[in-house]
Amino acid sequence: MYSPSYAKASRVEILNDDGFRSDGRKQYELREINIDFSLQGPADASVTFHHGLTQVLVSVLGPREAKTRSQAIHDRANINVEVNVAAFSTGERRKRSRGDKRLLELASTIKSTFEPVVQTHLYPRSQIDIFIQVIQQDGGLLPACLNGTTLVLAAAGIALFDFVCAVTGGVHSTSSLLDLNTLEENDVPHITVAVMPRTGRVTLVTTETRLHVDRFEEIFRLAIDACNILHHEMKAALQRRTCSLVATLGSGAKTDYTKDLDMDIL
């Protein structure tokens, strides 16, 4: 349990007497999010998701034919997730290999979260490959990966039962906090919650710290409300992208693909 005496002894002032956190936010205030759908490389869709100073690039390939028979599942698609972390993403210049245990656990958590959300039965004997590149970390890495993956799957036209929206929540002394940064995650007990806003189903609740059961319900409910706010922002970003695509098609502007197609026809 997090004790007040430990809070006072902390090297970092998590919450001052005026109710402001180390980055100037209030207790329940979320960090700014920025969503960029610019396509990267050969991917079918890409999203650069900024959540405060945390930044991840999520790309998806597929659904496409499984590379090997062992990867093909006769009645649904196989989802593969790979996570890489840039060596410069944190102050600690540490290069993590693909076999790093924490990266494998992160990829496994993302995969298990989305397997019941993606309508995999529509894509039998195929595979969906999700690649996540962590560019910058400042807390909330798992929620950023989950939110970015939701957006990139929707942008790729892959059928989903619902959005997945995620956020962290913690408790400092007797005060609940939402959307923790790195300093706060290192100093206070916290949980990560992911929900499907339309259905209200909870798809993930995880923690790596000890949180007193008396505080869990309050933080959980706050996280659910925060996820609904994130859902509104994520949905609006997708709608803006769709309107932009429709406007581009309606104006007769040609994409690089259609230009290449015209050259082939000529």
Side-chain angles (χ1 to χ4, degrees), residues 197-214:
R198 185 174 62 85
T199 60
R201 292 179 57 188
V202 177
T203 59
L204 175 72
V205 178
T206 183
T207 181
E208 295 182 0
T209 56
R210 298 177 64 182
L211 178 67
H212 198 283
V213 66
D214 292 341

Side-chain angles (χ1 to χ4, degrees), residues 69-265:
R69 286 188 176 182
S70 61
Q71 292 180 320
I73 304 175
H74 76 281
D75 60 346
R76 62 181 176 88
N78 183 27
I79 299 176
N80 300 311
V81 179
E82 181 178 309
V83 181
N84 291 300
V85 177
F88 53 80
S89 64
T90 63
E92 177 189 0
R93 295 276 177 152
R94 177 187 175 188
K95 186 176 181 180
R96 293 184 179 271
S97 65
R98 291 185 178 180
D100 184 90
K101 182 179 178 181
R102 291 189 65 84
L103 294 185
L104 293 176
E105 289 177 352
L106 181 61
S108 177
T109 300
I110 295 168
K111 177 178 179 177
S112 61
T113 301
F114 279 94
E115 279 181 331
V117 177
V118 178
Q119 298 187 35
T120 53
H121 64 281
L122 299 178
Y123 316 106
R125 297 185 177 278
S126 64
Q127 68 181 50
I128 299 171
D129 298 318
I130 301 168
F131 301 95
I132 301 174
Q133 179 70 45
V134 180
I135 301 172
Q136 189 168 332
Q137 300 183 59
D138 185 35
L141 178 58
L142 177 56
C145 292
L146 293 172
N147 295 333
T149 300
T150 295
L151 290 166
V152 81
L153 290 172
I158 296 173
L160 305 174
F161 288 108
D162 199 353
F163 278 57
V164 173
C165 302
V167 73
T168 54
V171 57
H172 171 71
S173 185
T174 58
S175 303
S176 300
L177 305 174
L178 280 176
D179 190 13
L180 278 59
N181 59 32
T182 294
L183 292 175
E184 293 166 341
E185 285 186 349
N186 291 338
D187 223 43
V188 305
H190 59 278
I191 61 174
T192 299
V193 178
V195 300
M196 299 166 67
R198 185 174 62 85
T199 60
R201 292 179 57 188
V202 177
T203 59
L204 175 72
V205 178
T206 183
T207 181
E208 295 182 0
T209 56
R210 298 177 64 182
L211 178 67
H212 198 283
V213 66
D214 292 341
R215 304 309 307 272
F216 176 81
E217 183 176 354
E218 178 188 357
I219 297 171
F220 179 76
R221 292 187 181 280
L222 287 169
I224 296 294
D225 293 338
C227 286
N228 289 326
I229 294 172
L230 288 172
H231 174 238
H232 175 77
E233 296 294 329
M234 292 162 64
K235 186 177 179 180
L238 276 171
Q239 289 174 336
R240 288 193 297 269
R241 175 181 181 270
T242 303
C243 291
S244 176
L245 290 175
V246 170
T248 300
L249 292 173
S251 65
K254 294 184 177 181
T255 62
D256 291 338
Y257 173 81
T258 55
K259 290 179 181 178
D260 292 339
L261 186 61
D262 288 346
M263 292 297 292
D264 292 339
I265 293 173

